């Protein structure tokens, strides 16, 4: 089986950033994108091409537009190498600082909570803007200064006292950053080259941004991040659609995909014959980045949920449309009422009006819209009323009678003067709607439960301001047709796998890593716990950049730690396995190399489309979390000294709690590689992987190596012990060992919970084996406990791989309960 360091699913603003950052750092990266690659000149324009520019492989369609229709909302998203950047309107606004709300009550329960701040994202906003190359519309330069829709929005805002601005756009108006804006001239090539290999030209103001820029003037992701990723060795695979994902025993993930094989080009012949694809194929990885878009990522996680036991119940929640609202100003002119607005001239969006937040804090943006010139003909044709047609027929009849063969005037009258198309201005609203929608599966298909009702006040306010803008421009206001039935049309669906501070609040943490599944990341709009308010592309990219910084920082930390291991320890922790991150973005070193295709760890449990190849052994694993307090120094003395001196700090980085101890916690994946061997051997030893967390050690630290022994004989007759030995390095690179045991003592059954949930632990200097405990220096000692809620969650994490999974779980349970009966049963 093919194995790489990282697989990135999708190539939009999250996936492209991740591909570049990880490849630049030297990781082997494969990007799986379901859609095609589109070079400048490849985007469809003619009727035959546009008619096939949609995504439905079952019907032989492999185009850019993927249109979703649910009961109360519709969406348009993209399919292609570069994701949404191929068809978005280039706006790169930052999320307002005041919109990073925390625990804001929502109608019907729940809340919107952002575990990141504007300060967290600002350096990553900077990095993305530099990489993509953003600039405001050059309204003051010749050739651009006559853009009437921009001037009209500016004048309307001034009259209404609104905050008008020129937002940053990902468009090349000049051939190089320090050159003067000029239309239709060659763009200077980037140092990393261009994956399409062809020339690019600056913006011609043709209004075709949303249907793909055939000049290459858009600084879309294929021209920027993806070209740079390929330059650094990333393998970009278009027309590869991911169908399944699942964890691997011992760490990492398997990704199953099919490869689409369209017939011909984007023409009518493309659909001749049945659609074709090959597969399923499987690739494994240490890290898996899900960036298939809000719908794609949420659908993958929902569809494969059985393979991810313990996945947060927040999956599918916090859905919203980022406040998207489309309306039209018909027969609009500038403030002088003398010049019709030509919305087809310029990029799709050139300017924005920022509405204040109001009493409810739900501010918004209103942006001018545009469209290609050929849409003008569609608009005029659609409004060619019966009067104009009847007049043409009567005049044509008169010409026949009078032998007048000149039809020029009649045809000119039939076409009209273009009053509607030349004076129509789309307005695009977006802002802070209520993220109380839910994504779910219905008959195996993705469905959305969400309406505009809870956001009605927000939408009414945006529509009212749009009407006032129309009044200033002497225009007629018209809602988009879907709004007539209160249906929201969004091009910015968000949520479904929201980030949060803990699994009860979100699916992933503030760095996009899925709770409970180290190395699995969400890096697209699905991770957002609420609306961005502004156009979300820049924020999604900045979050992905922040995610990658954490991955690479912790990877470097663990790699440095691995170099300090003894020869025996280093052999147990291969470098490739050592770079596997844990649930918060820190590293969780795996003590085994990536599984080969014929290994018993080649597939994790879960739904499978094809038989997996296993050896005779069956594996079992589960996740355990414990937390508590450790006191400085050895047991007994530590408690006395702490009581004598109050709550003294140990080191500048450590802070004692009010209870006089240092909080300490760990999260372990306990893996039994061979259940038969485990039950037969008296040591009943399993592997422990994961992390510890303590200020005393510099925060969350990955394990270098760990072991767990279940029900081994204790020091007294009838006693059983559960032993834990966890080796790690603190933040200063010093080796540390957490040695702990649960003591199962004979006695009344009421002791069962106390004994099995209490771990007596000592934090030792160095990496200490069991026979060295008494000679080791004790840094701290105390007790850790498992909470009832953690126990319930642990019971949901039991998983197996191998030929006898159900039997293995049953045998393990019989062994576990049998040992407890031996200790606590009537005797």
């Amino acid at each position: 089986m093919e194995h790489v360091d990282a697989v990135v699913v999708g190539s939009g603003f999250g996936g492209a950033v991740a591909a570049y950052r990880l490849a630049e750092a030297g990781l082997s990266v494969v990007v799986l994108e379901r859609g095609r690659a589109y070079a400048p000149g490849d985007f469809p324009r003619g009727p035959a091409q546009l008619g096939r520019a949609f995504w439905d492989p079952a019907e032989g369609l492999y185009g850019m537009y993927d249109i979703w229709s649910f009961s109360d909302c519709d969406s348009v998203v993209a399919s292609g190498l570069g994701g949404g950047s191929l068809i978005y309107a280039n706006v790169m606004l930052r999320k307002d600082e005041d919109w990073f709300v925390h625990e804001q009550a929502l109608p019907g329960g729940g809340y919107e909570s952002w575990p990141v701040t504007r300060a967290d994202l600002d350096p990553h906003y900077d990095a993305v803007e530099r990489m993509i190359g953003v600039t405001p519309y050059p309204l003051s330069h010749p050739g651009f200064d006559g853009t009437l829709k921009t001037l009209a929005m500016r004048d309307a805002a001034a009259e209404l006292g609104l905050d008008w601005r020129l937002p940053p756009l990902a468009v090349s108006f000049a051939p190089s950053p320090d050159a003067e804006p000029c239309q239709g001239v060659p763009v200077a090539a980037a140092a990393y080259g261009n994956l399409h290999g062809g020339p690019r030209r600056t913006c011609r103001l043709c209004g075709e941004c949303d249907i793909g820029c055939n000049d290459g003037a858009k600084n879309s992701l294929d021209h920027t991040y993806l070209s740079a990723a390929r330059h650094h060795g990333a393998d970009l695979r278009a027309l590869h659609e991911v169908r399944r994902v699942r964890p691997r025993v011992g760490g990492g993930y398997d990704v199953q995909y099919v490869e689409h094989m369209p017939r011909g080009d984007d023409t009518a012949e493309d659909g001749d014959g049945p659609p074709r694809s090959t597969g399923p194929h499987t690739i494994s990885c240490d890290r898996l980045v899900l960036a298939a878009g809000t719908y794609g990522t949420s659908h993958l996680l929902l569809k494969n949920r059985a393979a991810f036991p313990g996945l947060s119940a927040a999956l599918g929640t916090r859905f919203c449309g980022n406040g998207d609202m489309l309306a039209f100003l018909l027969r609009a002119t500038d403030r002088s009422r003398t010049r019709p607005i030509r919305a087809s001239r310029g990029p799709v969006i050139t300017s924005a009006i920022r509405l204040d937040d109001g009493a409810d804090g739900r501010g918004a943006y209103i942006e001018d819209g545009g469209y290609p010139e050929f849409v003008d003909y569609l608009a005029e044709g659609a409004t060619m009323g019966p009067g104009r047609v009847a007049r043409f027929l009567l005049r044509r009849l008169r010409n026949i009678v009078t032998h007048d063969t000149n039809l020029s005037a009649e045809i000119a009258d039939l076409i009209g003067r273009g009053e509607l198309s030349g004076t129509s201005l789309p307005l695009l609203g977006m802002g802070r709607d209520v993220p109380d929608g839910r994504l779910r599966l219905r008959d195996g298909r993705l469905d959305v439960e969400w309406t505009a009702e809870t956001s009605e006040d927000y939408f009414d306010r945006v529509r009212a301001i749009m009407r006032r803008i129309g009044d200033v421009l002497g225009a007629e206001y018209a809602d988009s047709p879907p709004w007539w039935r209160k249906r929201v049309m969004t091009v910015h669906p968000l949520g479904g796998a929201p980030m949060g501070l803990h699994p009860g609040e979100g699916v992933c943490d503030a760095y996009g890593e899925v709770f409970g599944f180290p190395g699995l990341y969400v890096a697209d709009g699905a991770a957002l716990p609420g609306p961005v308010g502004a156009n979300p592309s820049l924020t999604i990219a900045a979050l992905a950049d922040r995610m990658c910084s954490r991955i690479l920082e912790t990877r470097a930390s663990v790699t440095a730690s691995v170099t300090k291991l003894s020869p025996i320890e280093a052999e147990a922790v291969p470098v490739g396995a050592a770079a596997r991150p844990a649930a918060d973005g820190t590293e969780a070193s795996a003590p085994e190399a990536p599984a080969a295709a014929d290994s018993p760890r080649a597939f994790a449990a879960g739904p499978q489309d094809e038989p997996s190849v296993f050896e005779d052994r069956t594996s079992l694993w589960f996740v355990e979390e414990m937390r508590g307090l450790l006191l400085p120094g050895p047991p007994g003395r530590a408690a006395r000294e702490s009581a004598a001196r109050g709550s003294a700090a140990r080191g500048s980085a450590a802070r004692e709690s009010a209870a006089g101890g240092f909080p300490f916690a760990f999260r372990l994946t306990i893996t039994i590689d061979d259940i038969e061997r485990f039950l037969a051997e008296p040591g009943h030893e399993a592997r422990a992987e994961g992390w510890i967390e303590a200020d005393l050690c510099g925060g969350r630290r990955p394990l270098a190596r760990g072991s767990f022994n279940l029900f081994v004989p204790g020091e007294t007759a009838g006693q059983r012990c559960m032993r834990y030995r966890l080796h790690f390095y603190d933040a200063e690179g010093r080796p540390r060992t957490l040695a702990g045991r649960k003591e199962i003592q004979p006695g009344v059954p009421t002791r069962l919970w106390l004994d099995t949930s209490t771990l007596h632990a000592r934090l030792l200097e160095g990496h200490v084996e069991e026979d060295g405990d008494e000679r080791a220096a004790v840094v701290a000692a105390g007790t850790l406990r498992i909470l009832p809620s953690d126990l319930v969650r642990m019971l949901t994490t039991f998983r197996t791989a191998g030929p006898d999974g159900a039997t293995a779980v049953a045998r393990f349970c019989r062994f576990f309960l049998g040992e407890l009966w031996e200790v606590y049963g009537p005797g």
Side-chain angles (χ1 to χ4, degrees):
M1 181 191 303
E2 181 181 12
H3 182 89
V4 294
D5 293 328
V7 168
V8 179
V9 181
S11 60
F13 285 94
V17 171
Y20 164 66
R21 290 293 311 277
L22 299 181
E24 183 193 34
L27 276 67
S28 55
V29 177
V30 168
V31 177
L32 300 177
E33 165 58 51
R34 65 175 181 169
R36 300 174 181 268
Y38 291 90
D42 288 348
F43 292 102
R45 287 297 183 267
Q49 293 177 324
L50 286 170
R52 304 197 60 78
F54 298 91
W55 178 262
D56 190 349
E59 299 297 327
L61 297 173
Y62 303 91
M64 289 190 304
Y65 298 104
D66 190 7
I67 300 179
W68 297 71
S69 182
F70 306 108
S71 57
D72 292 293
C73 71
D74 300 307
S75 286
V76 179
V77 295
S79 175
L81 192 63
S85 74
L86 299 178
I87 65 171
Y88 85 136
N90 319 306
V91 177
M92 302 294 276
L93 281 167
R94 302 188 181 197
K95 180 177 174 69
D96 284 33
E97 185 173 3
D98 292 341
W99 289 355
F100 287 90
V101 296
H102 183 62
E103 296 189 353
Q104 180 174 353
L106 297 177
Y111 51 86
E112 177 186 349
S113 181
W114 287 78
V116 295
T117 67
R118 173 67 178 265
D120 292 331
L121 288 188
D122 271 338
H124 304 283
Y125 280 139
D126 293 341
V128 174
E129 288 174 347
R130 286 193 300 269
M131 184 67 183
I132 289 183
V134 301
T135 183
Y137 186 67
L139 185 62
S140 61
H141 288 75
F144 302 87
D145 51 359
T147 309
L148 294 181
K149 67 171 183 175
T150 315
L151 298 173
M153 286 285 285
R154 182 194 65 185
D155 294 343
E159 184 161 327
L160 297 172
L162 300 174
D163 178 6
W164 176 87
R165 60 188 69 175
L166 293 171
L169 302 178
V171 178
S172 291
F173 297 106
S176 62
D178 55 352
E180 288 294 309
C182 186
Q183 298 178 34
V185 300
V187 174
Y192 47 74
N194 191 290
L195 64 87
H196 300 302
R200 302 172 58 199
R201 305 184 74 82
T202 58
C203 182
R204 294 186 296 106
L205 311 186
C206 63
E208 297 181 0
C209 309
D210 287 353
I211 59 174
C213 181
N214 272 330
D215 293 302
K218 289 179 64 171
N219 300 338
S220 50
L221 296 170
D222 51 334
H223 296 307
T224 54
Y225 273 103
L226 292 172
S227 287
R230 194 185 71 160
H231 174 76
H232 288 287
D235 186 354
L236 311 180
R237 303 181 185 179
L239 291 168
H240 284 60
E241 184 174 11
V242 173
R243 297 290 177 81
R244 289 192 183 279
V245 295
R246 53 193 173 221
R248 294 163 60 85
V249 181
Y253 297 88
D254 287 329
V255 181
Q256 187 186 91
Y257 63 92
V258 297
E259 181 178 0
H260 295 300
M261 303 178 67
R263 297 179 181 273
D265 300 321
D266 275 331
T267 63
E269 289 77 16
D270 197 341
D272 291 347
R276 298 185 302 163
S277 62
T278 65
H281 311 286
T282 302
I283 183 173
S284 64
C285 57
D286 297 325
R287 295 174 180 81
L288 175 58
V289 178
L290 299 181
T294 292
Y295 293 139
T297 291
S298 298
H299 192 199
L300 272 175
L301 288 174
L302 287 166
K303 186 171 62 174
N304 293 279
R305 190 168 196 165
F308 294 87
L311 195 62
S312 170
L315 180 61
T317 64
R318 311 277 175 83
F319 176 83
C320 71
N322 200 50
D324 282 2
M325 182 78 194
L326 173 63
F328 299 92
L329 301 184
L330 307 179
R331 298 178 174 83
T333 60
D334 64 358
R335 290 182 65 189
S336 69
R337 300 290 195 272
T338 60
R339 294 186 297 178
I341 294 173
R342 290 179 56 199
S344 58
R345 178 170 174 77
V348 168
I349 293 173
T350 61
S351 67
I353 293 174
R354 168 66 162 89
L355 305 187
D356 62 65
D357 290 350
D360 60 359
R362 298 199 170 277
Y365 284 90
I366 296 176
E367 299 168 351
D368 59 34
Y371 47 80
E373 281 191 333
F374 68 76
V375 175
D376 288 341
Y377 291 96
L378 300 179
E380 288 300 322
T383 59
M384 190 179 294
R388 281 162 62 183
V389 175
R391 186 165 59 250
F392 171 79
L393 293 175
L394 288 174
R395 294 181 66 176
R396 178 62 181 134
L397 180 61
R398 184 197 62 187
N399 290 350
I400 293 174
V401 172
T402 61
H403 305 289
D404 185 351
T405 57
N406 191 327
L407 289 177
S408 299
E410 288 77 7
I411 295 295
D413 181 67
L414 179 64
I415 294 175
R417 291 176 293 175
E419 291 178 347
L420 179 63
S421 61
T423 61
S424 296
L425 177 63
L427 292 182
L428 310 170
M430 63 196 71
R432 294 196 54 234
D433 57 353
V434 178
D436 58 351
R438 177 177 288 273
L439 293 163
R440 63 189 182 110
L441 293 182
R442 177 184 292 179
D443 299 327
R445 297 178 179 273
L446 190 67
D447 192 27
V448 174
E449 293 179 345
W450 185 60
T451 72
E453 293 180 2
T454 52
S455 300
E456 187 171 359
D457 291 344
Y458 159 82
F459 284 117
D460 286 347
R461 180 168 176 248
V462 173
R463 293 172 67 236
I465 300 297
M466 288 178 170
R467 286 181 182 275
R468 293 178 62 194
I469 294 172
D471 291 341
V472 172
L473 301 179
E476 303 171 15
Y477 173 87
D479 287 313
S480 64
W483 189 254
W484 300 344
R485 295 181 293 137
K486 289 296 187 290
R487 289 179 62 86
V488 173
M489 180 70 177
T490 178
V491 294
H492 301 131
L494 303 173
M499 61 177 61
L501 294 174
H502 51 78
E505 185 176 86
V507 172
C508 58
D509 66 14
Y511 293 94
E513 189 166 27
V514 175
F515 289 113
F517 295 92
L520 176 63
Y521 294 87
V522 177
D524 55 25
L528 274 56
V532 173
N535 312 65
S537 302
L538 180 62
T539 296
I540 293 170
L543 285 167
D545 190 73
R546 182 172 183 262
M547 172 195 80
C548 293
S549 293
R550 170 56 69 92
I551 291 174
L552 298 175
E553 287 167 2
T554 53
R555 173 176 178 260
S557 172
V558 171
T559 301
S561 297
V562 169
T563 63
K564 302 174 184 178
L565 297 175
S566 69
I568 296 176
E569 290 170 321
E571 183 179 354
V573 187
V575 173
R580 186 167 55 82
D584 71 331
T586 60
E587 299 293 330
S589 304
E592 293 190 359
D598 59 350
S599 163
R601 299 190 295 117
F603 291 94
Q608 300 181 25
D609 288 339
E610 69 286 326
S612 301
V613 181
F614 292 100
E615 295 176 358
D616 293 337
R617 65 181 184 171
T618 298
S619 303
L620 179 147
W621 65 101
F622 60 90
V623 177
E624 180 180 27
E625 296 187 39
M626 300 192 75
R627 53 183 60 86
L629 296 176
L630 299 186
L631 300 171
R637 189 191 76 188
R640 291 192 301 271
E641 291 180 353
S642 180
R645 68 177 182 270
S647 57
R650 181 182 177 86
S652 59
R655 298 183 301 276
E656 281 193 286
S657 73
F662 299 99
F664 196 100
F666 65 61
R667 184 182 187 281
L668 305 177
T669 298
I670 307 294
T671 303
I672 301 169
D673 290 311
D674 186 341
I675 191 69
E676 293 286 346
R677 184 175 179 179
F678 174 85
L679 295 176
E681 293 181 344
H684 306 306
E685 184 172 352
R687 291 185 290 109
E689 304 167 271
W691 46 256
I692 65 93
E693 185 168 39
D695 284 348
L696 179 64
C697 301
R700 188 169 292 187
R701 308 302 301 161
L703 297 187
R705 189 175 62 172
S707 64
F708 167 75
N709 298 88
L710 180 63
F711 292 139
V712 295
E715 298 174 354
T716 61
Q719 185 187 61
R720 301 286 193 277
C721 290
M722 301 182 195
R723 293 176 181 166
Y724 297 73
R725 187 161 300 274
L726 311 178
H727 291 179
F728 63 94
Y729 291 89
D730 67 12
E732 297 181 13
R734 296 173 297 191
R736 293 287 185 260
T737 298
L738 184 77
R741 64 180 186 175
K742 298 176 183 176
E743 298 176 349
I744 315 301
Q745 305 278 10
V748 295
T750 53
R751 289 185 53 86
L752 189 151
W753 169 253
L754 179 64
D755 289 350
T756 57
S757 65
T758 302
L759 181 70
H760 305 280
R762 295 191 301 170
L763 183 61
L764 309 176
E765 290 185 356
H767 283 168
V768 183
E769 300 303 331
E770 187 171 351
D771 58 2
D773 284 4
E774 297 306 318
R775 300 186 301 273
V778 179
V779 178
T783 57
L784 308 179
R785 300 184 186 277
I786 184 170
L787 302 178
S789 59
D790 291 333
L791 175 63
V792 172
R793 186 159 53 246
M794 182 185 78
L795 295 176
T796 69
T797 66
F798 276 80
R799 297 159 55 217
T800 64
D804 300 306
T807 303
V809 173
R811 294 193 61 200
F812 178 84
C813 291
R814 283 198 300 270
F815 167 73
F816 190 91
L817 296 175
E819 290 292 317
L820 293 179
W821 179 263
E822 287 290 327
V823 176
Y824 297 110

